[in-house]
Amino acid sequence: IQLIAVLTMLIDHASVFTTTVPLYFIMKTIGRVAIIVMCYFVAEGYYKTRNIGKYIIRMAIFAAVSQIPYYLYKYWGYIPQNINAIIISVFRSRNVIFTLFIGLCLLTVIKSNYNVIIKIVAIFAALRLAQFSDWGYSAILWIVGFGLFYGDKKKQMIWLVAVLLLRIGINSIEPVKSIIETGELLYWSLYTWLSAFGGFIALLILPFYNGERGNMPKWTFYVFYPTHLLIIVVLMAIIF
């Protein structure tokens, strides 16, 4: 299952090399699987790690390491000219591991013995921090839900669908807006909306997880993420 997450993420990010719009969105649709699987295993990791503090620190380190590769990928190889540009980029657009890090922290607080007020503040803070992070509130909600319903696969899958439908509903605003403003449905808005349905593919994968660790090293994803982004950036520079 971890390998599926890695491959679907690669397909998603490699879509920058496609030359046709339909193929691009087919690849993006397949890529929707990766984030859900990643969120699922973050929640699993919370319960199975021997030291939650080290787990959080490790994820924070990889989030920091991944920011520059993510920035270069998102902005097609543009290199920040100074430290201020780097700082601004961190506040405006953060990588998905940062989002997973926020979700893990929030799940830890919610499962702790802190009082309700602290937990409510943590929820709002996490959603605010995730606003400019890759996958934002969706990833946060998936991690928390998967964690709270840990051990109950049926409720976890219901939560998966609920958050996915919420995201699809919000994404439908853009297509409707394009119809109102232009009188026609723009293809880009339509494909963006349709690609969100790719998340349902995860329903065919996660129920088969048996709770055991696979053969892949536990750091595989965290190393793969920034590495494959850098490789794609280099190829983009060569090709484009």
Side-chain angles (χ1 to χ4, degrees):
I1 293 178
Q2 290 177 324
L3 180 59
I4 291 175
V6 168
L7 291 177
T8 52
M9 177 189 295
L10 179 60
I11 291 172
D12 185 349
H13 292 157
S15 61
V16 296
F17 299 114
T18 61
T19 57
T20 62
V21 174
L23 179 57
Y24 172 82
F25 279 98
I26 288 175
M27 296 176 72
K28 299 297 286 186
T29 298
I30 295 174
R32 304 305 89 173
V33 176
I35 183 60
I36 296 176
V37 174
M38 287 187 291
C39 291
Y40 188 85
F41 280 110
V42 167
E44 284 282 318
Y46 169 81
Y47 287 94
K48 294 184 176 180
T49 185
R50 295 180 179 178
N51 189 317
I52 188 62
K54 289 183 178 179
Y55 185 24
I56 291 174
I57 292 174
R58 183 167 63 245
M59 190 170 291
I61 292 173
F62 278 110
V65 170
S66 300
Q67 184 58 29
I68 292 298
Y70 171 76
Y71 181 92
L72 293 173
Y73 171 81
K74 184 170 183 178
Y75 295 101
W76 288 71
Y78 173 76
I79 300 176
Q81 300 300 309
N82 50 57
I83 189 64
N84 289 333
I86 296 176
I87 294 175
I88 291 174
S89 76
V90 172
F91 282 99
R92 288 183 178 178
S93 181
R94 294 180 286 266
N95 65 82
V96 75
I97 298 184
F98 182 83
T99 314
L100 299 179
F101 163 73
I102 297 173
L104 176 61
C105 289
L106 179 58
L107 177 60
T108 303
V109 172
I110 291 177
K111 294 291 293 182
S112 71
N113 294 322
Y114 292 126
N115 62 54
V116 176
I117 294 178
I118 292 179
K119 293 181 179 181
I120 292 175
V121 171
I123 291 172
F124 281 100
L127 293 176
R128 182 66 180 86
L129 285 171
Q131 183 177 355
F132 297 104
S133 298
D134 198 15
W135 279 97
Y137 71 90
S138 300
I140 301 299
L141 293 177
W142 274 319
I143 292 172
V144 172
F146 291 150
L148 293 179
F149 297 128
Y150 179 76
D152 191 329
K153 194 67 70 66
K154 182 178 180 180
K155 289 184 178 179
Q156 287 180 324
M157 295 305 102
I158 291 175
W159 183 260
L160 186 165
V161 172
V163 176
L164 192 56
L165 290 176
L166 173 63
R167 184 176 183 85
I168 290 172
I170 294 176
N171 284 355
S172 67
I173 295 176
E174 195 64 30
V176 172
K177 183 179 178 181
S178 71
I179 294 175
I180 295 175
E181 294 181 350
T182 67
E184 59 183 15
L185 181 59
L186 301 179
Y187 282 113
W188 189 267
S189 297
L190 175 62
Y191 282 127
T192 300
W193 180 72
L194 288 175
S195 67
F197 285 89
F200 285 107
I201 301 174
L203 290 172
L204 305 175
I205 300 171
L206 293 180
F208 293 99
Y209 174 60
N210 59 12
E212 298 180 3
R213 177 180 292 180
N215 296 324
M216 294 177 63
K218 61 181 179 180
W219 289 11
T220 298
F221 166 74
Y222 300 108
V223 173
F224 173 80
Y225 180 73
T227 302
H228 91 284
L229 288 180
L230 283 176
I231 293 174
I232 290 176
V233 169
V234 171
L235 292 176
M236 289 166 62
I238 295 173
I239 296 173
F240 300 120

